Amino acid sequence: MTGNHATRALIVATLGLVLGAHAYLLPHQNVNWDEFWFLSFVHDHARGTLSATRQSFHVHLFGWLTGIAAHEVDQVVAARAAYLILLVGTCTCVYTLGRRVASVNGALFAVLCYAGYSNVLAHGTSFRTDGLSVFLLMTALVLVQSEARRMMAAGAAAVLVGVALLVTIKSALFLPVFALVLLTHHSRDWRGADARREAALFVGATVATAVGLYLWHQSGVVNASVSAAVTSLQSTAGRAIRPDVLFPRYWEFRETVIANLVQWTALTSAVVLLAVRILTRRQVPESMALLVLVVPLLSVVVYRNAFPYFYVVVMAPALVLCAWTFDQLARSRWMSGYRSVAVTIAATLALAVSVRSFVATAPRDDTAAQRAVVGAVHEIFPEPVPYIDRNGMIASFPRVGFFMSSWGIERYREEGRPVFASLLRARGPKFLLVNVPALSAALADPSLVGRGRTDVLLGEDAAVLRAHFVPYWGPIHVAGTAMHLQPGSEVTWEVLIAGLYQLHSRAPVAVGNALHQPGATVELGAGVVSFRSEVAQDVMLRTSSARGVPPYPPPTGRLYRGF
């Protein structure tokens, strides 16, 4: 076997192991809050209660998830399996683009660099916008650079870009790439009027697809408004793009570079060599066509949300340059013959070792606690009921409140308006799932409120939640209240969540004008209710919707890990 074929066999074998690692990690990695949130949109759409127009277009592609399992974690895993197919498609696009500038081995090496990138291993199949949008954008990039049937390819690419813009507005980061490709990627027999028609078709079809599909999608959204969507989009853009703050996610960037030294060495080498060619006016069009692939990556300099999962999107086009670096290394007079093969083998093995290390250090099953909590909720409430949590973790139930991401809480505190009293009256949530520090602080540590903390609820909202939810099982708190009664004294409670409650007491309790025995079911309407007792005792009322405390202990530790 020649050195070229031996190198190819090693790269292909390593790539197979990397894709196997993706398949292994898929059901075991911790489900991020974003994934549950993404899934909740699918269920909202199925119930006819979807109220989000932005970044919810995926509901039309993943409606099938609601019918395959009753457990939300299983639904996320099924979605991840679909995303694994999309990841393979993205890798195919990386290979196709790599082949246009490099050899088969070089293109395969670029695919290995992307599939084995630590952030892609961690988030490449995560049920978020990223895996879907990057597949659409990379496929569009392959089409727009096609030499055959240019007009048809440009039209198809525009449709994909239009859909990607609806999946996530982050797709706009690729628009400069498409603009530069349309300006520079023209063969000798495709210039002038033909090139202008191609560009016009691409722009027109992109706008028509995005606007047309948005209006269609909006028709199925509750209380949707174009003006409200535009205002929200402007607010989001203003918060996400911070030109006044360079590298807002510097530590995430630093970490990703350190964890992927092989990829960044190859990428940086390509950028430097191509820049030198352009400055010395050698092969300028070809060099420019390659350098434009790095443009989305440059957004990390000003993009606030350049979290680890963001690199799934921006590294896909950038790492195509690794294919070019691979071939340049093989042609170099300093790396001719066995030296080039040795360096290639060393780089491939280094990637294999980093992937093995990533898999070896990953928890064997990081969804166990989440499965236990979601399963407990379904046991306690066999039928869907309204609830409060961070991110829609129980996606098949109607959720009450705002998305309690760091950004969501920041906006909520800036508005400075308590929201939960009115929500409890209008929606009557039956339980609260403590899966974010803001909720745990509100229920368990009210002293945190007012200490200058920016990650907690407003004091009024914290007080309302403490007055209307009681501990039940682990992070699950159910609607109700707890009080201590003294003989001859009266305690009042303003009921915001009307409904049936079970009385837990040692002796009879007078609720309003009626005397109730321990264990009785009491119907409470909204408003102030008085409680009296002939003996001193602790009293608790809990919603009768809860079917019983699960017999197994709740999990310990955090439900969510990292991103």
Side-chain angles (χ1 to χ4, degrees):
M1 183 181 290
T2 65
N4 189 49
H5 287 88
T7 301
R8 183 177 305 173
L10 177 62
I11 295 174
V12 170
T14 306
L15 184 57
L17 291 174
V18 171
L19 293 176
H22 278 281
Y24 168 76
L25 291 167
L26 185 149
H28 300 134
Q29 286 184 307
N30 188 257
V31 180
N32 186 262
W33 55 82
D34 273 355
E35 294 183 272
F36 282 123
W37 182 242
F38 211 52
L39 177 64
S40 72
F41 287 164
V42 176
H43 283 273
D44 286 345
H45 183 255
R47 283 190 296 265
T49 59
L50 181 66
S51 59
T53 53
R54 291 194 306 107
Q55 299 199 149
S56 60
F57 190 78
H58 66 283
V59 301
H60 304 290
L61 305 175
F62 290 93
W64 52 272
L65 288 175
T66 62
I68 64 169
H71 200 293
E72 281 78 359
V73 175
D74 289 333
Q75 292 176 357
V76 170
V77 170
R80 286 175 172 181
Y83 267 49
L84 179 59
I85 298 173
L86 295 178
L87 176 63
V88 172
T90 301
C91 289
T92 302
C93 292
V94 172
Y95 176 80
T96 303
L97 293 173
R99 279 293 290 129
R100 291 176 180 171
V101 297
S103 63
V104 171
N105 284 3
L108 288 172
F109 181 73
V111 174
L112 179 59
C113 286
Y114 180 70
Y117 199 86
S118 64
N119 299 64
V120 177
L121 278 168
H123 308 291
T125 59
S126 293
F127 188 44
R128 290 183 171 100
T129 62
D130 307 282
L132 175 57
S133 62
V134 73
F135 167 73
L136 295 169
L137 292 166
M138 289 297 287
T139 303
L141 196 54
V142 168
L143 289 171
V144 84
Q145 288 191 357
S146 173
E147 293 292 350
R149 298 183 177 180
R150 293 283 292 272
M151 296 297 286
M152 184 180 297
V159 171
L160 294 176
V161 173
V163 175
L165 288 169
L166 295 182
V167 171
T168 173
I169 195 61
K170 286 186 294 188
S171 300
L173 297 174
F174 270 65
L175 294 181
V177 178
F178 289 104
L180 290 169
V181 167
L182 288 169
L183 289 172
T184 61
H185 184 69
H186 296 129
S187 56
R188 290 183 178 179
D189 58 344
W190 190 266
R191 292 184 182 276
D194 289 333
R196 288 192 293 272
R197 279 196 293 270
E198 180 190 21
L201 172 64
F202 180 84
V203 173
T206 298
V207 173
T209 299
V211 172
L213 289 180
Y214 176 81
L215 293 175
W216 169 70
H217 174 57
Q218 186 194 46
S219 66
V221 175
V222 178
N223 298 323
S225 165
V226 174
S227 60
V230 171
T231 301
S232 175
L233 185 61
Q234 290 173 338
S235 173
T236 299
R239 290 173 178 270
I241 305 297
R242 297 291 305 276
D244 57 320
V245 180
L246 295 183
F247 274 109
R249 297 295 170 191
Y250 167 76
W251 293 107
E252 286 86 349
F253 174 75
R254 180 176 180 271
E255 182 178 343
T256 195
V257 172
I258 293 174
N260 301 278
L261 288 177
V262 171
Q263 290 94 325
W264 278 93
T265 299
L267 174 59
T268 304
S269 299
V271 170
V272 171
L273 291 173
L274 291 169
V276 169
R277 285 189 174 188
I278 292 172
L279 291 173
T280 56
R281 301 184 181 280
R282 291 182 295 121
Q283 298 176 307
V284 173
E286 295 83 355
S287 299
M288 286 292 296
L290 275 170
L291 275 181
V292 297
L293 299 177
V294 185
V295 170
L297 179 57
L298 298 179
S299 62
V300 300
V301 177
V302 294
Y303 188 53
R304 175 193 182 276
N305 287 358
F307 292 112
Y309 53 80
F310 180 63
Y311 291 89
V312 173
V313 178
V314 295
M315 295 309 297
L319 290 177
V320 172
L321 272 65
C322 293
W324 186 82
T325 303
F326 184 98
D327 277 19
Q328 293 303 305
L329 177 67
R331 296 169 186 163
S332 170
R333 66 173 182 267
W334 295 286
M335 287 291 178
S336 59
Y338 73 91
R339 293 177 183 171
S340 174
V341 174
V343 170
T344 301
I345 291 175
T348 303
L349 292 177
L351 287 172
V353 169
S354 67
V355 171
R356 181 186 180 280
S357 175
F358 185 94
V359 174
T361 56
R364 190 171 296 275
D365 186 1
D366 212 9
T367 67
Q370 297 172 323
R371 287 182 178 278
V373 170
V374 172
V377 168
H378 285 287
E379 285 186 33
I380 298 168
F381 298 96
E383 297 298 325
V385 296
Y387 75 106
I388 295 171
D389 86 328
R390 171 188 197 153
N391 57 289
M393 189 172 183
I394 316 300
S396 58
F397 287 20
R399 182 176 171 278
V400 176
F402 63 95
F403 182 28
M404 296 185 195
S405 63
S406 60
W407 196 342
I409 292 178
E410 179 183 319
R411 294 179 65 180
Y412 153 80
R413 289 188 63 87
E414 284 179 0
E415 292 177 2
R417 181 172 55 86
V419 298
F420 280 109
S422 59
L423 286 173
L424 265 56
R425 289 191 189 94
R427 302 288 301 279
K430 299 302 182 184
F431 72 95
L432 183 151
L433 184 56
V434 182
N435 56 4
V436 64
L439 289 176
S440 59
L443 294 177
D445 193 359
S447 64
L448 290 175
V449 179
R451 288 188 182 176
R453 292 275 299 268
T454 59
D455 60 344
V456 296
L457 300 180
L458 298 174
E460 297 91 330
D461 277 337
V464 165
L465 296 182
R466 283 196 303 276
H468 287 84
F469 292 93
V470 293
Y472 196 75
W473 181 91
I476 301 171
H477 292 229
V478 299
T481 190
M483 64 188 73
H484 180 75
L485 297 180
Q486 290 287 352
S489 65
E490 182 178 271
V491 173
T492 60
W493 178 43
E494 184 182 4
V495 180
L496 298 181
I497 304 174
L500 297 175
Y501 289 83
Q502 187 176 32
L503 176 64
H504 296 266
S505 63
R506 182 170 51 86
V509 176
V511 181
N513 297 321
L515 187 66
H516 295 274
Q517 299 297 318
T521 299
V522 182
E523 184 172 6
L524 299 178
V528 177
V529 179
S530 62
F531 298 85
R532 298 181 305 279
S533 173
E534 295 297 325
V535 299
Q537 62 173 324
D538 291 321
V539 174
M540 179 180 289
L541 285 98
R542 297 192 306 211
T543 177
S544 60
S545 300
R547 290 292 184 264
V549 179
Y552 46 89
T556 58
R558 297 166 59 185
L559 287 175
Y560 299 121
R561 300 179 188 275
F563 290 93

